[in-house]
Amino acid sequence: MSDERELVIQPIVTESVQHNARIVSNIRALTASLFGVAAGTLGLESYPGFLFYFIGTALVSVLVYFFKAESKPQAYFYRPIGDLWGGDMFGGLMSFVLTWTLFYGLCKA
Amino acid sequence: MAIASIALNVIGVIFLSHAVYSAYEHSLLPSTSASPSSGSYLLSVLDPKVNLPVDITIETLVSVVLLCAGVVLSSANLKPIQWNVWAGNLERSKDARATKEVGVGGGNPYAALEERSGFLDIRGEMKGFAEWKNKGGEGRIEGKKA
């Protein structure tokens, strides 16, 4: 109820919300494949590889926080915890695994 | 900013392809599988089976970090989601006032308020429709817009 009241007092622009979500998910998709290239080249296997992905995703979140959101995530994301830090954490996982296995096969086999 | 991000991307791609090619060449060396102790300390902490030289490891990691920064910097700017900040930006910019459509970086930020159906002149619409029908239903409906 208080959430609704807050939205009436300070309305948000849905076009901007969609635009921001699209940009962040583009960044995530691109960098996830990059992390896959790195993990495959380094020859990581099983848990260290996934750990590498999550460290990389956190790094990308920090970069977006400082360079794109100008340290004010509440001005650009409706729910900063979900949309910037946690959201899309698993969205790039499949492209990560794809390039990970490809480059592991290229460099190891 | 744009030139810096393009430079970051180009440098990152060059270093990354060099690192991947080096790792590939290293995997072709006959002694690679025989000496697991030659691996770098960094990777042996993460994964004891990896035996990549430390310079290739560092080159890969640095190039990926460079590329990440390049991708983040070269992507389009985020837009403020608070209505007052967004509308204030539109009111101040001359190009945005010239644009008519809402949601493409311009237009009237209060279009949603001004075009509410509560203010629709329904009698004018009906009158226009009646005239159009009496004239035989040809051409456009000359309704008076609210």
Side-chain angles (χ1 to χ4, degrees), chain A residues 20-75:
Chain A
N20 293 352
R22 198 175 63 242
I23 285 184
V24 170
S25 95
N26 273 351
I27 292 176
R28 292 243 188 259
L30 267 174
T31 51
S33 346
L34 276 176
F35 293 132
V37 172
T41 310
L42 296 178
L44 302 178
E45 291 173 8
S46 81
Y47 290 123
F50 288 107
L51 187 68
F52 182 79
Y53 170 74
F54 287 118
I55 292 172
T57 317
L59 172 77
V60 169
S61 294
V62 170
L63 285 175
V64 170
Y65 177 82
F66 281 114
F67 290 118
K68 285 289 146 193
E70 293 150 354
S71 309
K72 298 191 298 280
Q74 65 275 11

Side-chain angles (χ1 to χ4, degrees), chain B:
Chain B
M1 197 58 118
I3 296 173
S5 60
I6 290 171
L8 272 181
N9 280 338
V10 169
I11 293 170
V13 165
I14 291 172
F15 275 123
L16 186 64
S17 34
H18 182 252
V20 171
Y21 188 63
S22 308
Y24 172 69
E25 289 284 310
H26 181 260
S27 75
L28 294 183
L29 293 178
S31 63
T32 307
S33 55
S35 60
S37 60
S38 71
S40 67
Y41 175 72
L42 191 67
L43 277 178
S44 60
V45 171
L46 207 57
D47 193 347
K49 289 191 291 297
V50 173
N51 54 354
L52 206 61
V54 68
D55 53 347
I56 302 180
T57 309
I58 291 174
E59 189 178 14
T60 312
L61 293 177
V62 166
S63 64
V64 163
V65 170
L66 283 182
L67 266 173
C68 276
V71 165
V72 170
L73 284 177
S74 63
S75 61
N77 282 329
L78 301 178
K79 290 179 184 169
I81 63 164
Q82 279 134 8
W83 194 283
N84 48 2
V85 180
W86 174 77
N89 283 346
L90 285 191
E91 295 264 289
R92 274 192 291 277
S93 108
K94 284 212 168 62
D95 315 339
R97 293 301 283 176
T99 316
K100 284 283 173 276
E101 300 99 311
V102 177
V104 291
N108 182 359
Y110 305 106
L113 293 177
E114 289 172 7
E115 290 170 10
R116 277 186 295 192
S117 44
F119 288 119
L120 196 68
D121 185 4
I122 195 69
R123 284 178 191 278
E125 296 279 327
M126 283 167 73
K127 211 176 146 196
F129 178 73
E131 280 170 11
W132 171 77
K133 202 180 155 204
N134 289 339
K135 275 193 284 182
E138 284 174 11
R140 296 188 62 229
I141 302 177
E142 300 289 331
K144 192 170 81 66
K145 284 278 180 188

